């Protein structure tokens, strides 16, 4: 299997494969190097990625976007419900989780955001399989830095639904930093680290990370983000600007009409992009609603005015990230700007001002995150030989583990992974217990969490102590490489005496033994059982969703195959008709020709009438009906061709 990296963007995603010593960003079925992060549903099948985009405007109610923003949220999370502004299908809670309602195959269906993302990831997997011509299983998925426990677990579940094994969830900007570091490794210092600030202004969020690089490794010193700052927020402000204008100028309110609003939003995005390279741009939509054609324009200055509420916040993530990293702008060796919205001139301007330094664009603005993710996946693969690039990430939110204290115990909780720490990270704690007990992890400070974040992380039940007296239970607590909080190991420990060489001691005589001493050490005696009750799907739920996804894949495949058979039938008729007049004319009797023509006409009528939407087997049967006659004629023609060819060869040889 080929290791895969995915930059799971809110707008579109890039997928990259680590193959033959390269990191190759893969093109999809229409040769685009990125795939819209959208899923759609129709009367017959699902539209995943590109087809969802191309059908979006005519299928608004059944197209779901902003997957990245809704996955792993609770159904009543205000942040989830606020996404309705950017999502054209109906958002609603499904099994208590964020979800959407669509009409699929003529029926109202509800799917959770995890399922919808699973569908999308399955499409990405198909692209990867087609492009690498190999099996695909392991994947590293890059997500926003602000993804919490629940969101990270949900993306892993979504991968599992798609039949993928998510070996690591990486922060997108960190993946970009790794991609950058791997590429530049030969120029990286061995002693004093090189300090690089990565600024990623994307579609829905804006992230800044300060990263220290040395040869073969990097460490994220500080990260900050604005969850509500990205291209789509600019689009919304521009759309609002025009909505106001159209109210006055044309007496229409585009916001009362979903289709009109969607078209204004799409046109606003187009205009925004034009304004990145031009000082003014037109804004026209024909028959936007009530048969009204709208026409207006915008200058760069007007865009800045409309976007002022955003632009005045643009300096904040940079300042926060630098502060957390304990770095001043003048200490930075490089400022790497990535993400589509970093192309907006006013954003660039703010950035140059806060850094007071030139910005650089040496990181591949679009693809570095996916490349980094593919590299990370390859590092996790036992079959790939890659020179490792070590990296540590920054923990944004403090996490506390707690337990019910027993008599004589005065501590009932511990801040194990503080904000500003680095991960992956492990800490061992000791509790004295005679019977099964629970440990719970939670985010320490609810006030500093992004809105809607579940403070609860996980509850574990630890059991398996044998004796009556309290045993020394050691718990290995871990913030794993994906940023997920676990209890990795739990065991009863016992103290044993071991002989150890004395550190720094010299042998009494030359060539003699190093003197040793007896020390007491805690070692594992028996394993304890760990049962987790966390925020991910249960095995049973996951299994059900995998089966449902597989059945939908089969149905989509059947629809696609049926379409192929129908096309084959149409093409056969078209081709046969031409050839009967032409090269096959002398190889069929008049009766045969008449018979075939009559059959073809009948089938053609059927194709455009009752047979418009028939079963695959029927198209095959009709095809065979024609081919049984047509192939005879074709056979005679081919035999004659062959005869002539042989005659030519014989003549040449003679
Ligand atoms: P996120 O990182 O927020 O999840 P993403 O990774 O999918 O999103 P990017 O590819 O970084 O997003 O950026 C997409 C955004 O960049 C879109 O909003 C798009 O309109 C905007 N964009 C792309 N090109 C330009 C341009 N030339 N000028 C202005 N904006 C642009
Ligand atoms: Mg992005």
């Amino acid at each position: 299997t080929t290791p895969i990296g995915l930059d799971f963007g809110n707008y579109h995603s890039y997928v990259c494969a680590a193959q033959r010593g390269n990191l190759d960003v893969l093109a999809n079925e229409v040769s685009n190097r990125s795939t819209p992060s959208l899923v759609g549903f129709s009367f017959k099948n699902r539209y995943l990625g590109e087809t969802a985009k191309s059908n979006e405007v005519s299928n608004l109610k059944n197209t779901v976007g902003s997957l990245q923003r809704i996955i792993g949220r609770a159904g009543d999370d205000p942040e989830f419900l606020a996404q309705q502004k950017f999502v054209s299908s109906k958002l609603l809670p499904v099994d208590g989780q964020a979800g959407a309602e669509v009409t699929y195959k003529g029926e109202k269906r509800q799917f959770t955001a995890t399922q919808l993302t699973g569908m999308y990831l399955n499409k990405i997997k198909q692209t990867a399989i087609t492009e690498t011509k190999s099996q695909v299983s392991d994947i590293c998925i890059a997500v926003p830095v602000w993804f919490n426990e629940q969101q990270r677990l949900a993306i892993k579940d979504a991968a599992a639904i798609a039949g993928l094994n998510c070996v690591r969830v990486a922060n997108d900007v960190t993946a970009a930093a790794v991609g950058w570091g791997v590429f530049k490794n030969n120029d990286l210092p061995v002693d004093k680290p090189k300090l690089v600030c990565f600024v990623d202004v994307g579609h829905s969020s804006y992230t800044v990370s300060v990263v220290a690089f040395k040869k073969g490794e990097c460490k994220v010193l500080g990260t900050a983000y604005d969850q509500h700052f990205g291209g789509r927020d600019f689009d919304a402000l521009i759309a609002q600007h025009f909505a106001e204008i159209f109210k006055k100028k044309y007496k229409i309110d585009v916001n009362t009409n979903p289709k009109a609003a969607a078209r204004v939003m799409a046109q606003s995005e187009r205009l925004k992009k034009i304004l990145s390279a031009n000082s003014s741009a037109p804004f026209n939509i024909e028959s936007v609603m009530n048969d009204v054609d709208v026409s207006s324009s915008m200058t760069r200055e007007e865009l800045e005015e409309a976007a002022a509420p955003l632009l005045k916040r643009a300096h904040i993530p940079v300042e926060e990230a630098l502060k957390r990293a304990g770095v001043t702008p003048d200490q930075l060796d490089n400022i790497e700007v990535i993400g589509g919205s970093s192309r907006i001139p006013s954003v660039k301007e703010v950035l140059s001002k806060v850094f007071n330094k030139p910005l650089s664009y040496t990181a591949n603005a679009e693809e570095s995150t996916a490349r980094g993710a593919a590299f990370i996946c390859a590092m996790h693969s036992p079959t790939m030989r890659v020179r490792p690039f070590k990296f540590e990430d920054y923990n944004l939110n403090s996490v506390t583990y707690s337990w019910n204290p027993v008599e004589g115990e005065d501590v009932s909780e511990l801040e194990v992974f503080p904000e500003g720490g680095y991960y992956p990270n492990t800490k061992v704690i000791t509790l004295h217990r005679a019977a099964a007990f629970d440990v719970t992890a939670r985010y320490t400070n609810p006030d500093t969490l992004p809105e809607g974040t579940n403070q609860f992380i996980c509850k574990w039940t630890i059991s398996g102590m044998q004796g009556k007296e309290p045993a020394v239970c050691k718990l290995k607590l871990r913030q794993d490489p994906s940023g997920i909080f676990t209890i990795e190991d739990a065991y009863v420990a016992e103290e044993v005496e071991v002989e150890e060489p004395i550190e720094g001691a010299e042998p009494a005589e030359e060539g003699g033994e190093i003197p040793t001493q007896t020390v007491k050490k805690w070692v594992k005696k028996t394993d304890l059982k760990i049962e987790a009750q966390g925020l991910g799907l249960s095995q049973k739920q996951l299994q059900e969703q995998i089966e449902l996804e597989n059945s939908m894949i089969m149905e989509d495949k059947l629809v696609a195959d049926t379409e192929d058979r129908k096309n084959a039938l149409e093409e056969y008729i078209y081709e046969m008709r031409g050839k009967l007049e032409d090269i096959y004319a002398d190889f069929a009797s008049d009766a045969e020709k008449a018979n075939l023509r009559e059959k073809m006409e009948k089938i053609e009528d059927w194709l455009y009438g009752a047979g418009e939407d028939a079963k695959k087997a029927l198209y095959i049967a009709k095809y065979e009906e024609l081919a049984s006659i047509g192939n005879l004629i074709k056979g005679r023609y081919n035999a004659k061709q062959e005869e002539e060819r042989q005659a030519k060869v014989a003549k040449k040889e003679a």
Side-chain angles (χ1 to χ4, degrees):
T1 69
T2 307
I4 299 293
L6 178 71
D7 172 9
F8 180 45
N10 197 49
Y11 183 74
H12 52 192
S13 303
Y14 289 86
V15 57
C16 179
Q19 53 183 358
R20 297 179 288 271
N22 291 322
L23 298 171
D24 298 328
V25 171
L26 306 176
N28 64 19
E29 73 272 24
V30 293
S31 303
N32 285 336
R33 288 165 79 84
S34 67
T35 299
S37 301
L38 286 177
V39 295
F41 299 83
S42 83
F43 194 75
K44 279 188 182 171
N45 57 336
R46 299 181 298 173
Y47 298 140
L48 305 175
E50 291 291 350
T51 48
K53 183 82 189 169
S54 53
N55 287 293
E56 185 177 18
V57 177
S58 59
N59 193 34
L60 286 173
K61 278 202 169 129
N62 303 312
T63 304
V64 196
S66 289
L67 297 171
Q68 184 215 72
R69 299 299 300 228
I70 61 175
I71 188 173
R73 292 187 183 274
D76 58 1
D77 178 346
E79 248 311 296
F80 158 59
L81 298 167
Q83 300 305 313
Q84 188 68 74
K85 185 175 162 198
F86 298 103
V87 178
S88 57
S89 70
K90 184 175 172 192
L91 295 180
L92 80 187
V94 178
D95 299 336
Q97 301 172 48
E101 183 173 82
V102 292
T103 304
Y104 172 40
K105 297 184 152 192
E107 266 178 51
K108 277 222 165 11
R109 297 282 296 270
Q110 299 183 344
F111 297 107
T112 64
T114 305
Q115 283 179 294
L116 294 163
T117 305
M119 299 177 193
Y120 179 70
L121 294 180
N122 217 341
K123 178 70 194 180
I124 295 292
K125 178 180 155 192
Q126 291 313 319
T127 299
I129 290 173
T130 308
E131 283 301 300
T132 61
K133 300 183 185 67
S134 74
Q135 295 291 322
V136 165
S137 169
D138 288 356
I139 188 166
C140 166
I141 304 180
V143 301
V145 293
W146 45 261
F147 257 37
N148 60 31
E149 176 88 2
Q150 194 159 12
Q151 290 159 314
R152 285 170 200 264
L153 290 172
I155 195 80
K156 285 191 121 180
D157 284 340
I161 290 172
L164 290 165
N165 172 33
C166 179
V167 296
R168 187 158 181 166
V169 180
N171 291 331
D172 50 12
V173 179
T174 307
V178 170
W180 187 90
V182 167
F183 191 65
K184 292 241 189 305
N185 197 31
N186 287 337
D187 307 328
L188 293 177
V190 279
D191 38 25
K192 187 174 171 283
K194 192 178 173 95
L195 290 178
V196 182
C197 186
F198 289 83
V199 180
D200 178 359
V201 193
H203 181 54
S204 78
S205 35
Y206 167 16
T207 312
V208 182
S209 289
V210 180
V211 187
F213 286 92
K214 279 195 205 172
K215 203 176 276 298
E217 63 182 66
C218 73
K219 179 172 187 171
V220 181
L221 302 179
T223 293
Y225 59 87
D226 186 332
Q227 242 185 0
H228 302 104
F229 189 115
R232 67 174 194 171
D233 301 294
F234 282 82
D235 302 346
L237 288 170
I238 297 167
Q240 203 41 47
H241 168 90
F242 284 111
E244 296 301 331
I245 290 181
F246 299 155
K247 262 187 207 159
K248 291 197 196 99
K249 195 167 165 189
Y250 301 104
K251 309 276 177 277
I252 53 168
D253 184 357
V254 291
N255 290 325
T256 58
N257 179 322
K259 193 157 186 166
R263 288 178 69 198
V264 169
M265 192 76 171
Q267 191 61 22
S268 298
E269 192 204 346
R270 233 165 277 145
L271 172 132
K272 171 192 72 180
K273 287 183 182 167
I274 297 172
L275 285 180
S276 292
N278 301 272
S279 54
S280 75
F283 188 102
N284 304 313
I285 304 177
E286 263 178 47
S287 183
V288 68
M289 65 186 278
N290 308 347
D291 281 332
V292 178
D293 298 343
V294 291
S295 173
S296 186
S297 67
M298 191 180 239
T299 63
R300 226 183 239 180
E301 287 74 47
E302 286 167 329
L303 170 68
E304 271 168 45
E305 239 167 74
L310 285 176
L311 292 169
K312 68 173 190 234
R313 303 206 309 264
H315 62 100
I316 298 173
V318 173
E319 287 165 359
E320 274 183 1
L322 288 169
K323 192 168 155 225
R324 287 175 181 160
V327 166
T328 54
D330 55 290
Q331 293 175 303
L332 293 171
D333 293 294
N334 239 347
I335 298 147
E336 290 294 336
V337 181
I338 60 176
S341 302
S342 66
R343 298 228 179 85
I344 301 173
S346 48
V347 170
K348 279 189 201 170
E349 218 170 279
V350 175
L351 293 176
S352 324
K353 237 182 240 158
V354 260
F355 286 110
N356 191 24
K357 263 190 161 173
L359 311 173
S360 62
Y361 294 83
T362 61
N364 180 330
E366 270 81 34
E367 299 177 353
S368 52
T369 300
R371 294 163 58 88
F375 183 84
I376 294 168
C377 190
M379 277 200 295
H380 280 261
S381 158
T383 56
M384 294 280 287
R385 273 186 302 131
V386 287
R387 193 176 337 140
F389 194 88
K390 278 198 308 196
F391 65 99
E392 279 181 281
D393 217 321
Y394 181 88
N395 182 29
L396 274 163
N397 297 299
S398 158
V399 167
T400 292
Y401 284 62
S402 63
W403 49 86
N404 280 329
V406 291
E407 226 185 275
E409 216 172 45
D410 47 7
V411 179
S412 66
E413 61 173 46
L414 188 69
E415 184 189 32
V416 178
F417 300 110
E419 176 192 329
Y422 302 101
Y423 72 90
N425 190 8
T426 305
K427 182 158 189 160
V428 178
I429 61 166
T430 307
L431 294 173
H432 297 82
R433 291 291 184 282
F437 63 101
D438 290 343
V439 176
T440 303
R442 65 167 203 274
Y443 288 111
T444 315
N445 311 308
D447 301 341
T448 59
L449 294 172
E451 190 173 10
T453 303
N454 198 340
Q455 199 190 351
F456 170 82
I457 291 176
C458 192
K459 182 175 124 179
W460 297 268
T461 301
I462 314 291
S463 61
M465 304 77 178
Q466 305 286 337
K468 285 207 165 54
E469 291 302 306
V472 177
C473 302
K474 299 258 179 199
L475 306 182
K476 207 166 168 187
L477 315 181
R478 183 155 166 84
Q479 181 172 16
D480 79 4
S482 296
I484 291 166
F485 297 92
T486 64
I487 296 183
E488 198 184 56
D489 196 11
Y491 56 90
V492 173
E494 68 179 343
E495 209 169 21
V496 292
E497 290 187 344
V498 288
E499 285 291 309
E500 260 189 8
I502 300 169
E503 206 175 313
E506 296 287 332
E509 57 200 70
E510 202 150 320
E513 305 233 320
I514 297 174
T516 60
Q517 61 186 1
T518 310
V519 289
K520 287 186 170 174
K521 265 202 153 169
W522 287 101
V523 296
K524 184 187 278 195
K525 190 173 156 205
T526 50
D527 275 317
L528 292 172
K529 188 171 165 199
I530 309 167
E531 282 167 291
Q533 271 176 283
L535 297 166
L537 294 174
S538 69
Q539 272 309 315
K540 183 166 166 283
Q541 287 170 318
L542 196 54
Q543 208 47 48
E544 281 167 9
Q545 300 196 355
I546 290 171
E547 276 162 32
L548 178 60
E549 170 63 15
N550 286 345
S551 70
M552 286 190 281
I553 284 278
M554 295 302 286
E555 289 165 29
D556 283 348
K557 192 171 173 310
L558 181 62
V559 171
D561 286 351
T562 307
E563 199 59 29
D564 282 350
R565 302 314 308 186
K566 185 182 172 197
N567 288 339
L569 179 60
E570 273 175 320
E571 265 164 42
Y572 191 83
I573 295 174
Y574 183 78
E575 190 191 323
M576 207 36 147
R577 223 181 240 139
K579 287 186 174 166
L580 272 185
E581 304 278 329
D582 185 23
I583 54 173
Y584 294 168
D586 297 337
F587 298 90
S589 70
D590 287 346
E592 275 176 327
K593 281 186 208 164
N595 180 20
L596 190 52
R597 284 207 184 99
E598 194 196 334
K599 282 213 158 74
M600 291 198 296
E601 204 157 306
K602 239 171 90 190
I603 290 175
E604 206 172 38
D605 286 346
W606 175 80
L607 267 174
Y608 299 122
E612 169 99 60
D613 193 13
K615 291 228 153 36
K616 176 176 149 191
L618 260 181
Y619 294 122
I620 296 176
K622 304 261 178 203
Y623 183 95
E624 280 169 0
E625 187 184 336
L626 296 181
S628 67
I629 310 170
N631 287 354
L632 271 179
I633 303 170
K634 190 175 169 186
R636 291 179 207 135
Y637 169 80
N638 286 347
K640 178 78 180 170
Q641 293 290 102
E642 179 61 17
E643 201 177 292
E644 282 175 6
R645 193 186 65 84
Q646 294 209 355
K648 249 188 220 159
V649 173
K651 202 166 158 197
K652 226 188 211 165
E653 279 172 0

